[in-house]
Amino acid sequence: GENVEQHPSTPSVQEGDSAVIKCTYSDSASNYFPWYKQELGKRPQLIIDIRSNVGEKKDQRIAVTLNKTAKHFSLHITETQPEDSAVYFCAASLVSGGYNKLIFGAGTRLAVHP
Amino acid sequence: NAGVTQTPKFQVLKTGQSMTLQCAQDMNHNSMYWYRQDPGMGLRLIYYSASEGTTDKGEVPNGYNVSRLNKREFSLRLESAAPSQTSVYFCASSSLGGGKGYEQYFGPGTRLTVT
Protein backbone atom coordinates (compact mmCIF):
# COMPACT_ATOMS: atom_id res chain seq x y z
CA GLY A 1 0.00 0.00 0.00
CA GLU A 2 0.86 3.66 -0.12
CA ASN A 3 3.38 5.10 2.30
CA VAL A 4 4.09 8.81 2.73
CA GLU A 5 7.17 10.22 4.43
CA GLN A 6 7.42 13.88 5.40
CA HIS A 7 10.29 16.06 6.54
CA PRO A 8 11.48 18.10 8.30
CA SER A 9 9.52 17.41 11.45
CA THR A 10 10.05 20.65 13.43
CA PRO A 11 11.53 23.47 11.36
CA SER A 12 11.89 26.97 12.69
CA VAL A 13 12.10 30.11 10.53
CA GLN A 14 12.21 33.86 11.03
CA GLU A 15 9.22 35.92 9.96
CA GLY A 16 9.58 36.88 6.31
CA ASP A 17 11.73 33.88 5.40
CA SER A 18 10.57 31.02 3.19
CA ALA A 19 9.75 27.52 4.40
CA VAL A 20 9.79 24.27 2.44
CA ILE A 21 8.27 20.97 3.50
CA LYS A 22 8.94 17.84 1.47
CA CYS A 23 7.07 14.57 1.09
CA THR A 24 7.80 11.35 -0.74
CA TYR A 25 5.26 8.69 -1.64
CA SER A 26 5.65 5.05 -2.63
CA ASP A 27 2.70 4.21 -4.92
CA SER A 28 3.29 5.51 -8.45
CA ALA A 29 -0.45 5.17 -9.14
CA SER A 30 -1.33 7.96 -6.66
CA ASN A 31 -2.90 10.90 -8.46
CA TYR A 32 -3.93 13.38 -5.78
CA PHE A 33 -1.70 15.25 -3.30
CA PRO A 34 -3.27 17.65 -0.78
CA TRP A 35 -1.70 19.69 1.99
CA TYR A 36 -3.57 20.32 5.23
CA LYS A 37 -2.86 22.85 7.97
CA GLN A 38 -3.84 22.09 11.54
CA GLU A 39 -3.73 24.64 14.32
CA LEU A 40 -3.55 23.51 17.92
CA GLY A 41 -6.78 21.84 18.99
CA LYS A 42 -8.46 22.45 15.63
CA ARG A 43 -9.47 20.33 12.67
CA PRO A 44 -7.20 19.89 9.61
CA GLN A 45 -8.03 22.31 6.81
CA LEU A 46 -7.01 22.05 3.18
CA ILE A 47 -4.64 24.82 2.08
CA ILE A 48 -3.66 23.61 -1.38
CA ASP A 49 -3.77 20.45 -3.47
CA ILE A 50 -2.38 19.20 -6.75
CA ARG A 51 -3.32 16.45 -9.15
CA SER A 52 -0.87 14.25 -10.98
CA ASN A 53 -1.42 15.94 -14.35
CA VAL A 54 -0.01 19.23 -13.02
CA GLY A 55 3.59 20.00 -12.01
CA GLU A 56 3.05 23.14 -9.94
CA LYS A 57 0.25 25.14 -8.40
CA LYS A 58 0.29 28.50 -6.61
CA ASP A 59 -2.11 30.32 -4.33
CA GLN A 60 -0.77 33.65 -3.08
CA ARG A 61 2.12 32.85 -0.70
CA ILE A 62 1.71 29.08 -0.99
CA ALA A 63 2.87 26.79 -3.79
CA VAL A 64 3.09 23.07 -4.30
CA THR A 65 5.37 21.26 -6.74
CA LEU A 66 5.09 17.65 -7.85
CA ASN A 67 7.80 15.43 -9.35
CA LYS A 68 6.07 12.24 -10.45
CA THR A 69 9.25 10.59 -11.66
CA ALA A 70 10.94 10.95 -8.28
CA LYS A 71 7.65 10.48 -6.42
CA HIS A 72 7.96 13.55 -4.28
CA PHE A 73 6.06 16.77 -3.76
CA SER A 74 6.80 19.90 -1.76
CA LEU A 75 5.00 22.76 -0.06
CA HIS A 76 6.58 26.20 -0.36
CA ILE A 77 5.52 29.09 1.87
CA THR A 78 7.01 32.50 1.09
CA GLU A 79 7.11 35.61 3.31
CA THR A 80 6.18 33.58 6.36
CA GLN A 81 4.09 35.19 9.09
CA PRO A 82 3.56 34.16 12.74
CA GLU A 83 0.07 32.92 11.83
CA ASP A 84 1.71 30.34 9.55
CA SER A 85 2.86 28.55 12.71
CA ALA A 86 0.97 25.25 12.72
CA VAL A 87 1.30 21.56 11.89
CA TYR A 88 1.25 20.80 8.17
CA PHE A 89 0.34 17.41 6.77
CA CYS A 90 0.89 16.12 3.29
CA ALA A 91 -1.13 13.23 1.91
CA ALA A 92 -1.37 11.08 -1.19
CA SER A 93 -4.17 9.02 -2.67
CA LEU A 94 -5.46 7.28 -5.74
CA VAL A 95 -8.85 8.84 -6.36
CA SER A 96 -10.98 6.05 -7.72
CA GLY A 97 -14.49 4.69 -7.62
CA GLY A 98 -16.02 7.66 -5.86
CA TYR A 99 -13.75 7.64 -2.85
CA ASN A 100 -10.44 9.16 -1.85
CA LYS A 101 -8.34 7.12 0.61
CA LEU A 102 -5.83 9.64 1.86
CA ILE A 103 -2.56 8.37 3.33
CA PHE A 104 -1.01 11.09 5.47
CA GLY A 105 2.55 11.92 6.36
CA ALA A 106 3.49 12.24 10.03
CA GLY A 107 3.29 16.04 9.98
CA THR A 108 5.62 19.03 10.18
CA ARG A 109 5.36 21.46 13.07
CA LEU A 110 6.42 24.82 11.63
CA ALA A 111 7.39 27.62 13.99
CA VAL A 112 7.62 31.17 12.62
CA HIS A 113 9.38 33.56 14.99
CA PRO A 114 8.65 37.31 14.87
CA ASN B 1 -24.34 25.03 6.57
CA ALA B 2 -22.86 23.36 9.63
CA GLY B 3 -20.46 21.30 7.48
CA VAL B 4 -19.28 18.18 9.29
CA THR B 5 -20.37 17.78 12.92
CA GLN B 6 -19.25 15.20 15.48
CA THR B 7 -20.50 14.17 18.89
CA PRO B 8 -19.33 13.94 21.57
CA LYS B 9 -16.39 16.39 21.75
CA PHE B 10 -14.77 14.57 24.65
CA GLN B 11 -15.23 11.12 26.15
CA VAL B 12 -13.55 9.07 28.87
CA LEU B 13 -14.11 5.31 28.85
CA LYS B 14 -12.94 2.48 31.02
CA THR B 15 -11.27 -0.50 29.36
CA GLY B 16 -13.93 -2.85 27.99
CA GLN B 17 -16.69 -0.27 27.70
CA SER B 18 -18.35 0.41 24.38
CA MET B 19 -19.42 3.61 22.70
CA THR B 20 -20.46 5.08 19.36
CA LEU B 21 -19.02 8.24 17.85
CA GLN B 22 -21.50 10.12 15.69
CA CYS B 23 -20.78 12.08 12.53
CA ALA B 24 -23.10 13.99 10.22
CA GLN B 25 -22.59 16.22 7.18
CA ASP B 26 -25.00 18.58 5.46
CA MET B 27 -23.03 19.11 2.22
CA ASN B 28 -24.71 16.27 0.30
CA HIS B 29 -21.37 14.46 0.02
CA ASN B 30 -21.27 10.85 -1.12
CA SER B 31 -18.15 9.64 0.63
CA MET B 32 -17.35 9.76 4.33
CA TYR B 33 -14.28 8.75 6.36
CA TRP B 34 -13.12 8.07 9.90
CA TYR B 35 -9.53 8.85 10.93
CA ARG B 36 -7.63 8.66 14.16
CA GLN B 37 -4.82 11.05 15.05
CA ASP B 38 -2.07 10.07 17.45
CA PRO B 39 0.90 12.27 18.39
CA GLY B 40 3.68 12.07 15.83
CA MET B 41 1.76 9.76 13.51
CA GLY B 42 -0.44 12.01 11.42
CA LEU B 43 -3.95 10.86 10.58
CA ARG B 44 -4.68 7.23 9.82
CA LEU B 45 -7.77 6.01 8.00
CA ILE B 46 -9.92 3.61 10.02
CA TYR B 47 -12.92 3.03 7.74
CA TYR B 48 -14.54 4.78 4.83
CA SER B 49 -17.83 4.76 2.97
CA ALA B 50 -17.83 5.57 -0.73
CA SER B 51 -21.60 5.91 -0.80
CA GLU B 52 -24.70 5.20 1.21
CA GLY B 53 -24.91 1.49 1.94
CA THR B 54 -21.23 0.70 1.46
CA THR B 55 -18.33 0.63 3.92
CA ASP B 56 -14.75 -0.57 3.66
CA LYS B 57 -11.64 -0.95 5.81
CA GLY B 58 -8.84 1.57 5.88
CA GLU B 59 -5.33 1.29 7.34
CA VAL B 60 -6.25 0.55 10.98
CA PRO B 61 -9.74 -1.05 11.21
CA ASN B 62 -9.13 -3.54 14.04
CA GLY B 63 -11.29 -2.90 17.11
CA TYR B 64 -13.79 -0.70 15.25
CA ASN B 65 -17.04 -1.05 13.35
CA VAL B 66 -18.92 1.51 11.28
CA SER B 67 -22.43 2.14 10.03
CA ARG B 68 -23.44 4.39 7.16
CA LEU B 69 -26.92 5.10 8.45
CA ASN B 70 -27.93 7.28 5.49
CA LYS B 71 -26.23 9.73 3.17
CA ARG B 72 -25.71 12.25 5.99
CA GLU B 73 -24.58 10.08 8.88
CA PHE B 74 -21.59 7.77 9.44
CA SER B 75 -20.98 6.34 12.91
CA LEU B 76 -17.94 4.66 14.43
CA ARG B 77 -18.35 2.07 17.18
CA LEU B 78 -15.85 0.76 19.68
CA GLU B 79 -17.24 -2.53 21.02
CA SER B 80 -14.67 -3.08 23.77
CA ALA B 81 -12.44 -0.06 24.28
CA ALA B 82 -8.72 -0.52 24.92
CA PRO B 83 -6.11 2.02 26.11
CA SER B 84 -4.48 1.78 22.65
CA GLN B 85 -7.63 3.43 21.25
CA THR B 86 -6.95 6.63 23.17
CA SER B 87 -6.76 9.16 20.36
CA VAL B 88 -8.45 12.05 18.62
CA TYR B 89 -11.02 10.84 16.09
CA PHE B 90 -11.91 12.88 13.03
CA CYS B 91 -14.73 12.32 10.61
CA ALA B 92 -14.48 13.73 7.09
CA SER B 93 -16.58 13.88 3.96
CA SER B 94 -16.04 14.64 0.29
CA SER B 95 -17.80 14.68 -3.02
CA LEU B 96 -15.85 13.50 -6.03
CA GLY B 97 -18.43 13.69 -8.77
CA GLY B 98 -19.80 16.38 -11.02
CA GLY B 99 -16.55 18.24 -11.64
CA LYS B 100 -16.07 19.11 -7.99
CA GLY B 101 -12.74 19.01 -6.26
CA TYR B 102 -11.40 16.18 -4.16
CA GLU B 103 -11.21 18.09 -0.88
CA GLN B 104 -12.07 16.25 2.30
CA TYR B 105 -13.83 18.40 4.89
CA PHE B 106 -13.10 17.47 8.48
CA GLY B 107 -15.27 17.62 11.57
CA PRO B 108 -14.05 19.19 14.84
CA GLY B 109 -12.91 15.87 16.30
CA THR B 110 -13.67 13.72 19.34
CA ARG B 111 -10.99 13.39 22.00
CA LEU B 112 -11.28 9.90 23.48
CA THR B 113 -9.40 8.66 26.52
CA VAL B 114 -9.54 5.01 27.57
CA THR B 115 -8.29 4.27 31.09
Side-chain angles (χ1 to χ4, degrees):
Chain A
E2 176 66 278
N3 182 55
V4 177
E5 295 190 356
Q6 181 173 350
H7 60 93
S9 56
T10 54
S12 178
V13 300
Q14 288 298 123
E15 182 178 359
D17 287 349
S18 295
V20 180
I21 304 170
K22 299 181 179 181
C23 289
T24 60
Y25 60 99
S26 61
D27 188 349
S28 56
S30 290
N31 59 6
Y32 176 63
F33 308 92
W35 286 89
Y36 282 82
K37 176 182 180 182
Q38 187 178 31
E39 296 175 350
L40 190 61
K42 301 287 182 65
R43 72 191 79 188
Q45 293 198 294
L46 182 76
I47 54 172
I48 196 167
D49 57 8
I50 193 168
R51 302 187 192 185
S52 58
N53 58 349
V54 175
E56 183 175 2
K57 184 176 178 181
K58 287 184 181 179
D59 183 2
Q60 300 183 342
R61 295 187 297 109
I62 299 171
V64 56
T65 58
L66 172 65
N67 183 327
K68 285 170 53 181
T69 303
K71 291 189 283 187
H72 65 71
F73 56 112
S74 300
L75 178 70
H76 305 256
I77 306 174
T78 59
E79 300 173 20
T80 54
Q81 301 166 5
E83 51 264 40
D84 293 329
S85 296
V87 179
Y88 293 83
F89 293 98
C90 64
S93 72
L94 171 61
V95 177
S96 172
Y99 59 86
N100 182 7
K101 290 171 58 178
L102 291 176
I103 303 299
F104 284 84
T108 293
R109 185 177 299 277
L110 176 65
V112 180
H113 299 290
Chain B
N1 272 359
V4 181
T5 56
Q6 293 183 235
T7 55
K9 286 187 167 51
F10 302 93
Q11 184 71 49
V12 179
L13 291 178
K14 293 189 186 326
T15 297
Q17 289 185 317
S18 61
M19 78 161 295
T20 300
L21 282 64
Q22 306 286 355
C23 174
Q25 51 91 10
D26 62 1
M27 296 177 283
N28 201 34
H29 286 167
N30 292 319
S31 55
M32 297 184 73
Y33 310 83
W34 275 106
Y35 294 91
R36 60 177 289 173
Q37 184 174 32
D38 303 302
M41 297 189 72
L43 294 100
R44 291 182 292 169
L45 182 64
I46 304 171
Y47 269 93
Y48 65 98
S49 171
S51 62
E52 185 178 351
T54 68
T55 62
D56 215 335
K57 296 177 180 178
E59 298 175 83
V60 288
N62 290 345
Y64 305 96
N65 285 300
V66 291
S67 295
R68 183 74 183 267
L69 304 169
N70 48 54
K71 190 171 186 179
R72 290 188 62 248
E73 298 172 289
F74 188 37
S75 63
L76 178 72
R77 183 161 178 84
L78 287 70
E79 291 291 351
S80 178
S84 60
Q85 294 178 304
T86 293
S87 189
V88 180
Y89 291 84
F90 287 100
C91 177
S93 70
S94 69
S95 181
L96 302 179
K100 297 179 183 176
Y102 299 162
E103 178 176 359
Q104 287 191 17
Y105 295 83
F106 284 81
T110 295
R111 187 173 296 273
L112 175 67
T113 302
V114 183
T115 60

